[in-house]
Amino acid sequence: MQYKRVLLKLSGEALMGDRKYGIDPKRLDDYAKEIKSIIDKGVEVAIVIGGGNIFRGIAGASKGLDRVQGDHMGMLATVINGLALQSSCEDNGMQTRLQSAIKINEVAEPFIRRKAIRHLEKGRVVIFGGGTGNPYFTTDSAAVLRAIEMEADVILKGTRVDGIYTSDPEQNTDATKFDFISFEDVLRKGLKVMDTTAFTLSQENELPIIVFDMNTPGNLLRIISGEKIGTKVNL
């Protein structure tokens, strides 16, 4: 396998499937099966999931809600998604642990770095909820932070497009895809991979990012096996 330990970043919107909001059980099961395919190969998997399918703090703030309150609501949404993904993973035969950056001990362990690493070493899927535990930070930032703390080999950012393009391929049919691109070129070209805080943190820690289509069956295993899937961002 190309990678031994990975951090998989999933957006909350990805869990909606074809719905307008909420969680699609079929999409959740599909993702769990994809994760199982690489767990069976001995890969250690940590996951950070967003909450945009339930609530997005910055959107709430734009409608008059206090930003800090909105972000806390978003953190709780990521815990809900984490619980749903945990249940689906366990239904597919995986051992999991859900750790939260905000204390919610009845449903999730508190985030403890050494404990999370030990879970990974034992072959358990570790799902991180609650973002970073702080307002004004996105789940992209949480993903990079946890990846660094877990000493992951790579961040796998699962999206609904198959990589990074010169412009939005869903709006511009002339957009061209990058197979490889440097951190500097992403910034220079103004491409949207992650928010600036998350992207800079990844760059400073020399942690590569692979952006790929999570909805294509088998893609996750192909990446782990060394195939050139999606777009790789590296130094």
Side-chain angles (χ1 to χ4, degrees):
M1 296 294 102
Q2 183 79 16
Y3 304 104
K4 174 62 178 173
R5 180 179 295 168
V6 302
L7 187 292
L8 175 63
K9 170 61 170 64
L10 297 173
S11 68
E13 288 89 341
L15 299 187
M16 294 190 299
D18 295 326
R19 302 183 179 195
K20 294 183 178 179
Y21 61 88
I23 300 170
D24 178 1
K26 174 65 167 59
R27 178 60 56 83
L28 205 60
D29 185 65
D30 289 343
Y31 284 175
K33 285 180 168 58
E34 290 293 300
I35 295 163
K36 179 71 159 52
S37 71
I38 64 173
I39 286 288
D40 288 345
K41 296 294 185 181
V43 179
E44 298 172 2
V45 182
I47 302 171
V48 169
I49 192 163
N53 57 320
I54 300 172
F55 190 84
R56 186 180 294 278
I58 196 167
S62 70
K63 297 178 181 178
L65 189 69
D66 178 75
R67 174 64 189 273
V68 174
Q69 291 287 85
D71 281 354
H72 282 139
M73 293 168 69
M75 291 176 207
L76 294 174
T78 69
V79 175
I80 292 172
N81 284 339
L83 285 166
L85 184 60
Q86 180 182 40
S87 178
S88 190
C89 285
E90 290 180 346
D91 286 345
N92 280 276
M94 288 170 276
Q95 292 188 0
T96 70
R97 292 293 186 274
L98 174 62
Q99 291 198 348
S100 173
I102 53 177
K103 290 183 179 179
I104 186 167
N105 295 339
E106 287 75 14
V107 297
E109 295 179 356
F111 170 68
I112 300 173
R113 176 180 176 270
R114 291 172 65 89
K115 198 169 186 178
I117 289 175
R118 186 64 178 143
H119 288 322
L120 291 173
E121 291 172 345
K122 288 184 176 181
R124 298 166 182 155
V125 176
V126 181
I127 303 167
F128 296 114
T132 66
N134 301 290
Y136 298 99
F137 288 91
T138 66
T139 50
D140 277 346
S141 293
V144 177
L145 179 61
R146 296 292 180 250
I148 295 165
E149 290 174 314
M150 294 301 103
E151 301 176 0
D153 300 320
V154 66
I155 295 173
L156 304 178
K157 184 174 170 67
T159 68
R160 61 186 183 187
V161 295
D162 61 344
I164 301 171
Y165 283 75
T166 52
S167 59
D168 188 346
E170 295 180 344
Q171 297 181 8
N172 180 12
T173 55
D174 293 328
T176 56
K177 176 174 168 285
F178 297 99
D179 292 326
F180 297 93
I181 190 168
S182 69
F183 283 100
E184 288 184 1
D185 282 345
V186 168
L187 293 171
R188 183 169 54 83
K189 295 176 186 294
L191 303 174
K192 299 296 183 184
V193 179
M194 291 179 165
D195 67 86
T196 306
T197 302
F199 192 77
T200 302
L201 186 60
S202 185
Q203 181 183 25
E204 288 176 348
N205 287 273
E206 301 181 5
L207 183 62
I209 304 166
I210 296 177
V211 180
F212 72 105
D213 180 5
M214 184 67 183
N215 296 332
T216 299
N219 263 359
L220 199 54
L221 182 57
R222 293 186 190 103
I223 290 172
I224 297 301
S225 301
E227 290 188 37
K228 294 179 175 61
I229 302 294
T231 301
K232 186 172 185 178
V233 185
N234 214 333
L235 293 178

